[in-house]
Amino acid sequence: MHLTADEIDRFWSRVVKGPRETDCWLWARDGAAIGDDGYGRFWISRDGRQRVLRPHRVAWALAEGVSIDLHPVVEHVVCDNPICVRADGTLLDHLEGSTQAANLARIAQHGRRDSRRYRGRMLGREAMYRRSLALRAAVTDGWDDERIARALASVDEAQMALF
């Protein structure tokens, strides 16, 4: 399935792009919904029914020119930030189409299954949600590095930079 031109415009209207070529593009503007897992939500209607999509998967599909139903997994391979939608088909993309097996291998590689390391030390489901909400609030009026840093520190003082 592909999005209509209006859906694509509505999608990108909710994205705040960082000013540097390596910054995240955050799903954060004008009512950008965030689920309790910290990942964004984007609604479309098909055949009179609502369908919810993950914005990072939509961005990747748009960049690749493929159906939004193509890959079961789209990984955040650069920033590990669930509301990042940086994908435009270049080497600077933060997203990559993948498989569940590759995603699980990356999780293990990053040590996110060990409760004493990286995401396990702090960024479980609730913390990912709080971090995403804090980031969304920090860029409400546009990209501001200081507000972003304060927002991240309010969730986890040891937070690694996202960009």
Side-chain angles (χ1 to χ4, degrees):
M1 170 179 34
H2 293 275
L3 299 182
T4 67
D6 287 343
E7 289 167 338
I8 292 169
D9 288 345
R10 185 167 51 89
F11 176 83
W12 288 116
S13 75
R14 287 172 172 65
V15 175
V16 177
K17 294 182 178 182
R20 292 169 295 273
E21 68 178 13
T22 58
D23 286 342
C24 289
W25 296 350
L26 300 177
W27 178 252
R29 181 178 285 145
D30 299 330
I34 296 174
D36 66 356
D37 59 356
Y39 284 85
R41 302 290 190 267
F42 180 64
W43 279 267
I44 62 170
S45 291
R46 289 291 184 277
D47 301 321
R49 294 183 178 189
Q50 291 281 349
R51 180 167 176 194
V52 64
L53 306 171
R54 300 271 182 131
H56 68 286
R57 290 183 59 164
V58 172
W60 180 84
L62 291 172
E64 296 295 319
V66 299
S67 168
I68 58 174
D69 296 320
L70 183 62
H71 277 276
V73 175
V74 174
E75 292 187 70
H76 289 88
V77 295
V78 172
C79 61
D80 202 23
N81 176 9
I83 63 169
C84 179
V85 296
R86 183 173 190 123
D88 60 1
T90 70
L91 294 175
L92 298 173
D93 286 358
H94 289 198
L95 306 173
E96 180 178 289
S98 188
T99 64
Q100 185 65 19
N103 188 41
L104 292 173
R106 189 182 309 273
I107 287 170
Q109 178 185 13
H110 288 174
R112 288 186 265 160
R113 290 197 172 202
D114 182 343
S115 64
R116 297 166 300 199
R117 300 171 82 193
Y118 188 52
R119 183 174 291 171
R121 82 177 142 70
M122 171 61 183
L123 296 180
R125 185 179 186 100
E126 182 179 334
M128 292 285 281
Y129 173 67
R130 287 187 320 207
R131 182 177 79 171
S132 293
L133 292 179
L135 283 170
R136 181 179 66 183
V139 298
T140 297
D141 299 320
W143 195 271
D144 183 313
D145 288 329
E146 288 183 31
R147 284 194 341 234
I148 291 169
R150 282 195 308 270
L152 292 174
S154 73
V155 175
D156 180 6
E157 291 180 12
Q159 170 65 45
M160 296 184 303
L162 295 177
F163 24 80

